[in-house]
Amino acid sequence: TMLVSWVTFIQAFLILMVKGADQWSLRESSNCELKRKQSDLNSFLWTIKRNPPSYFYGTIHVPYTRVWDFIPENSKKAFQESNMVYLELDLTDPYTISALTSCQLLPQGGTLQDVLPRDIYRRLKRHLEYVKLMMPFWMTPDQRGKGLYADYLFNAIAGNWERKRPVWVMLMVNSLTEADIKTRGVPVLDLYLAQEAERMRKRTGAVEKVEEQCHPLNGLNFSQVSPSQMAPEQCLDFKKDLKSNDILFVTCFLNNRCRRTGKC
């Protein structure tokens, strides 16, 4: 059986699984509370009728502990019985991570200071300084117990932010919230499945190259981005409260920059 995956910009992708693996220890999560029977849940699993069978499976890029208890047993069984797993990208390959990082950078050594208005750049910088200051208080005891340090975590998320393209800064700023920080260190569902596949010595692969994802995102224009419904002058209303509103203000500005100039 085979399982293959690819992702859209809204963070959904498909995986193709291939049959014939060792028993999979189905791990339970205490972070979710089941509200319906497993048999009633949408499995997001499609079967390709062949011999052996193959499967397409839809996942989402969130910490796997948030959704693991909601994944029906038929999907877990398909993974368990597969001997090949093809994902969107090979997230266990250091080259993939390096290439994803490089593609986020502005061309020709450019910096955000070159493309953002001075006031917006300063507000973004102040917000990131605030996030860095708050990071130790946002982290959980479990994260600290695993050896995660606030400075390391901040640099892992926001490192080299001054060199990134605005569209990537917009995504980065949206992820720098207390709720998201508390889940850092927990693999997202697709990465967890990749790690499990490697642990069970399944054959793994990727259906896309980094460039096939990165270049279209870097070339987005307004017609392809869902911008804020707020006009630029409405964004200015967020200036009142630095701590709670800068994240919205910066995102609002970046979205409207896309709308006005087509440069994301």
Side-chain angles (χ1 to χ4, degrees):
T1 318
M2 277 199 317
L3 177 78
V4 178
S5 81
W6 64 88
V7 70
T8 65
F9 179 63
I10 59 172
Q11 298 183 327
F13 74 91
L14 297 174
I15 306 176
L16 171 64
M17 294 195 302
V18 186
K19 192 170 183 178
D22 296 333
Q23 288 294 319
W24 187 25
S25 175
L26 301 180
R27 301 181 181 179
E28 296 182 353
S29 165
S30 60
N31 292 359
C32 298
E33 180 180 348
L34 290 177
K35 297 182 179 178
R36 293 188 296 167
K37 294 180 180 180
Q38 285 280 350
S39 59
D40 295 333
L41 298 175
N42 187 334
S43 65
F44 299 101
L45 180 72
W46 290 264
T47 300
I48 301 174
K49 294 182 178 180
R50 57 188 292 275
N51 188 22
S54 297
Y55 307 94
F56 279 103
Y57 181 56
T59 73
I60 186 170
H61 295 313
V62 299
Y64 83 94
T65 51
R66 290 185 180 178
V67 296
W68 190 248
D69 286 339
F70 295 91
I71 297 177
E73 292 302 324
N74 67 334
S75 301
K76 295 177 179 179
K77 183 179 179 182
F79 186 91
Q80 175 183 338
E81 295 178 348
S82 299
N83 58 24
M84 298 174 64
V85 178
Y86 289 87
L87 298 112
E88 161 205 354
L89 294 173
D90 186 358
L91 298 177
T92 62
D93 183 356
Y95 167 77
T96 300
I97 306 304
S98 175
L100 284 171
T101 301
S102 297
C103 85
Q104 298 179 20
L105 302 181
L106 286 161
Q108 302 175 344
T111 68
L112 273 178
Q113 203 165 8
D114 300 328
V115 298
L116 293 183
R118 182 180 301 177
D119 180 56
I120 303 301
Y121 175 81
R122 287 176 176 173
R123 292 182 61 76
L124 173 59
K125 187 174 181 180
R126 287 200 304 271
H127 175 68
L128 293 178
E129 289 171 351
Y130 164 73
V131 169
K132 188 173 184 179
L133 179 67
M134 296 302 298
M135 191 80 79
F137 303 99
W138 290 351
M139 293 182 63
T140 66
D142 184 59
Q143 287 173 316
R144 288 189 286 269
K146 292 178 180 178
L148 279 178
Y149 295 94
D151 285 346
Y152 170 82
L153 193 55
F154 178 84
N155 289 329
I157 302 171
N160 210 22
W161 65 269
E162 294 183 347
R163 289 285 328 281
K164 291 184 178 182
R165 296 172 183 262
V167 67
W168 293 102
V169 173
M170 178 179 69
L171 297 173
M172 179 195 76
V173 168
N174 281 335
S175 70
L176 286 171
T177 65
E178 181 175 359
D180 284 332
I181 295 302
K182 288 183 181 298
T183 62
R184 290 286 174 164
V186 178
V188 293
L189 179 59
D190 44 320
L191 177 57
Y192 174 71
L193 293 176
Q195 292 171 340
E196 286 295 290
E198 284 201 339
R199 184 182 66 82
M200 292 184 282
R201 301 185 183 280
K202 298 177 185 291
R203 179 178 174 182
T204 61
V207 297
E208 289 185 353
K209 297 179 180 178
V210 171
E211 294 76 15
E212 292 173 323
Q213 286 198 7
C214 204
H215 291 172
L217 187 56
N218 285 344
L220 287 176
N221 57 40
F222 174 69
S223 66
Q224 298 162 313
V225 177
S226 297
S228 168
Q229 297 300 312
M230 300 177 183
E233 59 272 15
Q234 290 176 293
C235 293
L236 298 177
D237 292 338
F238 290 135
K239 285 187 175 181
K240 297 176 183 177
D241 183 352
L242 170 65
K243 293 183 179 179
S244 63
N245 290 326
D246 262 34
I247 184 170
L248 300 174
F249 176 59
V250 171
T251 301
C252 186
F253 167 78
L254 293 173
N255 280 335
N256 277 287
R257 180 176 183 271
C258 270
R259 180 162 65 85
R260 294 194 311 273
T261 68
K263 297 178 180 179
C264 303

